Amino acid sequence: MRTRRLLGGMFGATLLFAAAGAHAEAYPSKSIKMVVPFTAGGTTDVLARIVGQELTKAWGQQVIID
């Protein structure tokens, strides 16, 4: 009985790890929208746009600041 549980657990873990890798895709796969809840042209907006430009370079996907 104990051996059966151990083998069943190992089989289940193997299936879990195999399934996790099968559905992985590169992140991010589409453009990202960053919402800045402050007025346009303010310090927070300018900082968010600078960060958005750097994230666009790093991720290879467009980061839209809204």
Side-chain angles (χ1 to χ4, degrees), residues 34 36 43-53 63 65:
M34 182 187 294
V36 180
T43 306
T44 307
D45 180 58
V46 172
L47 183 62
R49 291 180 190 279
I50 293 170
V51 170
Q53 287 176 350
V63 177
I65 307 300

Side-chain angles (χ1 to χ4, degrees), residues 12-38:
T14 303
L15 287 178
L16 179 68
F17 288 120
H23 297 293
E25 60 182 59
Y27 178 81
S29 60
K30 57 183 178 178
S31 63
I32 298 168
K33 188 176 196 179
M34 182 187 294
V35 178
V36 180
F38 296 100

